[in-house]
Amino acid sequence: MIVAGPCSAESEKLCLDVAASLARTGYVDMFRGGVWKPRTLRGMYEGPGNDGLKYLLAVRDQYKFPVVTEAATTAHVEAVLKAGLDAIWIGARTVTDPFSVQELANALQGSGIRILVKNPLVPDIRLWAGAVDRLLNKGLNVEALIHRGFVTYSESKFRNEPLWVLMSEMRTRFPDIKIIADPSHMAGNSFYVAGLAAVAKEMEADGLMIEVHSDPPTALSDANQQITPDEFAFLISSLCGEKVGSLSDASLEALRREIDETDERLLRILAQRLDIVKRMGAVKRDAGMTIMQAGRWKSLVDDRMKRAEALSLSTSFVRDLLQVLHDESLRIQLSILNKGKE
Ligand code: PEP
Ligand code: MN
């Protein structure tokens, strides 16, 4: 399970740019972007707020990625559920506080939203397991745990100590829940991300969450640890084998061109059909006929279903398609009728 995207969903442009690059790699299962950022110090960038939900939905629309953001309060949960995002992650700070986790569990109750649970800031396995238990106890869909490392006072080159043993312990406690690693927040520095991702693979993590930004130095949060889309593509293909190459495969490119040309023909034919509809609308209006001619519609559908079957097309697909066309025809003819009355 590969989750990738910027630390903060800073703007629609950033989200769409990063998503375009991630889509090309063919590896990404979920797009992340923080909408409300938990900041240690007042005055730091706190994320785009509710507007960020729209940026994530734009990513889903264009690139078909399920989208995930951090929810830390019941207001966040309500906004995320209302917007219809696919998933939330519960951040390390929130998981550290059982009151907050319980409030979120209550607010999420009854929703099937996919939930990812980060480890708490402190290396206390009971806090992490306790949070998961509070969510499961409400019948919630805890899909994965995110191991993002722990705050310790030991001298370390990492922002958060991996303490991999805690990941293994959580696997024993929750054998049915995936555990993915977040080398970005462990590292705190882009330089160490690939190495930690490789360790995560050796530790049999079920996936990764990685922060990716088009231009990391200008990122409004976690600038030091985000990697570029190219670095991500390189990291992920070296960890998981070549998949990127298949996308530029000549035969796939040729098929894509065929699809493009066929769609162009399809659109021209649609335009032609709707042009006929317009002329029919005028004729019906002038003859004082009603727009809907049920008998004609029924015989048309029967005829087209036979033709669809002969072409081995799915009849339910063709029936739906005809219905969409019919709705559009009625809409056009109604507007012609109304114009005639003006
Ligand atoms: C994040 O993923 O951007 C984030 C704030 O994570 P964490 O809760 O692990 O600090
Ligand atoms: Mn971050």
Side-chain angles (χ1 to χ4, degrees), residues 7 32 37-38 70 89 91-93 118 148 185 211 222:
C7 176
R32 64 153 284 156
K37 299 304 298 176
E70 172 171 354
W89 82 76
R93 288 154 194 79
K118 290 210 176 194
R148 48 79 81 199
H185 288 88
E211 288 187 341
D222 286 350

Side-chain angles (χ1 to χ4, degrees), residues 238-300:
S238 53
L239 275 185
C240 310
E242 225 14 268
K243 201 168 181 180
V244 184
S246 65
L247 283 183
S248 54
D249 190 316
S251 55
L252 184 59
E253 281 308 312
L255 288 170
R256 283 182 173 162
R257 268 199 299 281
E258 266 187 64
I259 288 275
D260 291 346
E261 283 162 16
T262 308
D263 282 354
E264 172 65 24
R265 288 212 302 277
L266 205 55
L267 289 172
R268 280 181 199 285
I269 290 174
L270 276 177
Q272 223 177 340
R273 190 185 196 281
L274 293 178
D275 188 58
I276 301 172
V277 163
K278 273 185 209 147
R279 286 185 273 141
M280 284 176 72
V283 170
K284 283 185 196 166
R285 180 196 59 206
D286 296 346
M289 287 167 76
T290 56
I291 291 171
M292 179 66 190
Q293 299 285 318
R296 158 73 184 159
W297 173 238
K298 188 180 174 313
S299 64
L300 183 151

